[in-house]
């Protein structure tokens, strides 16, 4: 059994460097040995978001605000979440979400999700679709595809040769 993890600690795996997404993060689920449930803790500085607005098609997610306040953008608009607030994000367009810190103090959010061997995410703001499959024991995807949704509408038979006899 693992020793557990304290959500108020300053034990981070990584920090984002993309403008607007500079959050610190730690893969809590992986650290605790999770196999079917994942969890990542983020610390968002003022003005930062966890990731772009997106929809999952295989995994469900939940967000727990551990400290501070954040703005949740969902299919129905924006709402404010504070310490202790919990939200669930269903699969598909109904669960689309973006979480950002519009406040003046850092905020911590724990994202918990089911884990799927194959995941598809849609990013409607940027016309992208991402596919991840075959993650290894460290969670590194072995197959990854990111494409413009508008450019990816091929016929099933496109480019297929006639079968040889």
């Amino acid at each position: 059994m693992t020793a557990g993890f304290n959500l108020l600690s300053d034990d981070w795996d990584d920090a984002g460097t993309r403008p607007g997404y500079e959050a610190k993060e730690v893969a809590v689920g992986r650290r605790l040995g999770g196999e079917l449930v994942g969890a990542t803790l983020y610390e968002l500085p003022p003005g930062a978001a966890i990731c772009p607005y997106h929809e999952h098609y295989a995994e469900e997610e939940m967000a727990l605000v551990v400290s501070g306040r954040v703005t949740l953008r969902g299919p129905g608009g924006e709402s404010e979440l504070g310490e202790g607030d919990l939200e669930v994000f269903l699969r598909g367009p109904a669960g689309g979400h973006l979480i950002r810190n519009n406040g003046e103090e850092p905020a911590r959010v724990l994202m918990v999700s089911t884990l799927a061997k194959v995941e598809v995410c849609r990013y409607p703001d940027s016309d992208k679709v991402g596919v991840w499959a075959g993650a290894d024991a460290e969670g590194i995807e072995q197959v990854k595809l990111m494409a413009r949704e508008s450019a990816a509408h091929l016929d099933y038979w496109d480019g297929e040769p006639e079968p040889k006899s």
Side-chain angles (χ1 to χ4, degrees), residues 3 5-6 13 17 26 28-29 35 47 51 60 73-75 82 86 88 91-93 96 115 118 123 138 144 150-151:
F5 187 87
N6 187 311
D13 290 338
T17 57
V26 57
V28 176
E35 294 179 7
C51 58
E60 275 191 353
R73 176 184 160 206
L86 182 66
V88 67
R91 293 174 293 171
L115 295 177
V118 177
Y123 300 84
E138 284 76 45
K144 181 178 179 180
S150 59

Side-chain angles (χ1 to χ4, degrees), residues 16-23 45-52:
T17 57
R18 176 119 177 128
Y21 303 95
E22 298 93 349
I50 293 174
C51 58

Side-chain angles (χ1 to χ4, degrees), residues 111-163:
M111 296 297 296
V112 179
S113 69
T114 57
L115 295 177
K117 290 187 183 252
V118 177
E119 173 62 299
V120 176
C121 284
R122 182 170 171 260
Y123 300 84
D125 292 348
S126 55
D127 184 39
K128 292 185 303 208
V129 172
V131 178
W132 295 265
D136 63 18
E138 284 76 45
I140 306 300
E141 295 87 14
Q142 301 303 302
V143 176
K144 181 178 179 180
L145 170 68
M146 187 69 70
R148 296 272 175 229
E149 185 174 21
S150 59
H153 295 285
L154 296 176
D155 179 80
Y156 176 79
W157 298 107
D158 185 85
E160 295 296 332
E162 289 185 32

Side-chain angles (χ1 to χ4, degrees), residues 6-98:
N6 187 311
L7 297 177
L8 302 177
S9 73
D10 281 319
D11 184 8
W12 304 102
D13 290 338
D14 197 12
T17 57
R18 176 119 177 128
Y21 303 95
E22 298 93 349
K24 296 178 197 172
E25 64 182 80
V26 57
V28 176
R30 191 173 310 129
R31 285 225 191 154
L32 296 176
E35 294 179 7
L36 300 176
V37 177
T40 303
L41 177 67
Y42 296 91
E43 184 172 88
L44 301 168
I50 293 174
C51 58
Y53 186 84
H54 64 287
E55 307 159 353
H56 291 270
Y57 284 80
E59 300 176 349
E60 275 191 353
E61 284 188 310
M62 292 178 75
L64 170 65
V65 180
V66 176
S67 64
R69 297 194 62 73
V70 295
T71 300
L72 166 64
R73 176 184 160 206
E78 292 190 349
S79 59
E80 296 295 315
L81 302 176
E83 195 169 304
D85 284 338
L86 182 66
E87 289 286 337
V88 67
F89 307 113
L90 302 175
R91 293 174 293 171
H97 60 281
L98 176 146

